Amino acid sequence: MLAVRDALDVINGKWKFLILISLNHGNKRFREIHRSIPKMSTKVLAKELKDLEEHKLIKRTVADVYPVLVEYIPTDYVNTLSEVITALHKWGLNHRKMITERH
């Protein structure tokens, strides 16, 4: 139970997986990520990015240019979640199908 709770503490909420998927689709800047995920506020995105960085799933880099260029890049460690994301995607498709079927 403790290991499952630890995992859920890291990936909890409805936004973290969507952010990771957005990053894997090439969105690296804050605005790109924000635009790719409808209905998420910038405040929530900032918080979730900090959480993901603390858990070493993404890395924040700041380029010393003007204007300042901040990018978020998935770490190699995030790849350990690929099976989980795939399983959730598959389960979600099956669940949606089951719920929308008429009996």
Side-chain angles (χ1 to χ4, degrees):
M1 294 288 244
L2 183 59
V4 172
R5 189 172 59 200
D6 288 345
L8 290 175
D9 284 346
V10 174
I11 59 174
N12 68 351
K14 61 182 180 180
W15 303 115
K16 285 191 175 88
F17 272 134
L18 297 176
I19 293 167
L20 293 174
I21 291 167
S22 177
L23 289 168
N24 282 331
H25 280 100
N27 298 312
K28 295 180 179 168
R29 310 230 15 225
F30 188 92
R31 282 205 136 176
E32 294 170 344
I33 300 165
H34 184 249
R35 286 182 185 145
S36 72
I37 306 172
K39 299 182 182 179
M40 181 176 51
S41 72
T42 56
K43 181 179 176 180
V44 169
L45 177 57
K47 180 200 170 297
E48 298 291 21
L49 287 169
K50 283 183 183 181
D51 287 350
L52 290 168
E53 186 179 10
E54 285 176 12
H55 289 287
K56 303 192 184 312
L57 295 171
I58 65 170
K59 182 177 180 178
R60 180 179 184 263
T61 60
V62 180
D64 191 20
V65 296
Y66 183 82
V68 175
L69 175 66
V70 179
E71 289 187 335
Y72 298 90
I73 299 163
T75 63
D76 289 339
Y77 182 53
V78 80
N79 294 331
T80 62
L81 285 172
S82 64
E83 289 181 29
V84 176
I85 293 170
T86 300
L88 280 172
H89 179 258
K90 185 176 179 180
W91 187 89
L93 290 173
N94 289 332
H95 180 67
R96 180 175 296 275
K97 183 179 176 184
M98 187 201 61
I99 295 299
T100 57
E101 284 180 351
R102 295 186 183 189
H103 297 281

